[in-house]
Amino acid sequence: MSEGRGGRVDRINRSAVNFGDHGSAEYHEAPRAAADETTAVLLDAVRTLREHLRLLTETDATTGLDGELAVVQGEIERTGRADPARLGRLRMRLETAVAVVAGLASTAAVVQVIAQLAG
């Protein structure tokens, strides 16, 4: 904008803006909070299971499960909820990997919370 001319800003989203000669601008985006307590419990259980998966020998089943867990984790962190269809895919991944992860207590926690959210 040149000097002497007016300007108008309607909206600025997800940006850092600086006005003035000596100003500075910083952009920080806090993760969105979980929509409800059950979703917060699911997020915690997903994080725990992902940590525990690192203790196991990597297989196609554990890699696929970790990938699906990562997607669910990211979705909850971004939006505060997990899409029911995504939870269905996670449940199928858990069933596929059951022989590998059945001994992990964190697996049961994720399955229980998915069941609560599914109704």
Side-chain angles (χ1 to χ4, degrees), residues 29-115:
E29 184 172 338
R32 295 184 64 176
D36 59 34
E37 187 177 321
T38 305
T39 304
V41 170
L42 175 61
L43 179 58
D44 187 49
V46 164
R47 287 175 176 156
T48 301
L49 180 53
R50 290 192 71 209
E51 289 175 21
H52 291 173
L53 282 176
R54 292 185 190 112
L55 302 173
L56 300 175
T57 302
E58 187 175 324
T59 66
D60 289 343
T62 60
T63 301
L65 177 57
D66 185 58
E68 197 64 48
L69 288 165
V71 171
V72 169
Q73 179 180 341
E75 184 173 57
I76 295 170
E77 289 172 346
R78 278 188 316 281
T79 67
R81 61 180 292 278
D83 179 61
R86 177 139 342 263
L87 292 178
R89 287 189 293 275
L90 176 56
R91 180 181 269 174
M92 286 189 298
R93 280 285 187 183
L94 286 162
E95 290 170 1
T96 302
V98 72
V100 179
V101 299
L104 298 174
S106 52
T107 302
V110 171
V111 172
Q112 289 171 353
V113 179
I114 290 173

Side-chain angles (χ1 to χ4, degrees), residues 10-43:
D10 289 327
R11 180 187 337 207
I12 299 173
N13 293 322
R14 301 177 67 130
S15 298
V17 178
N18 172 35
F19 294 97
D21 293 337
H22 303 290
S24 66
E26 293 183 26
Y27 174 73
H28 301 279
E29 184 172 338
R32 295 184 64 176
D36 59 34
E37 187 177 321
T38 305
T39 304
V41 170
L42 175 61
L43 179 58

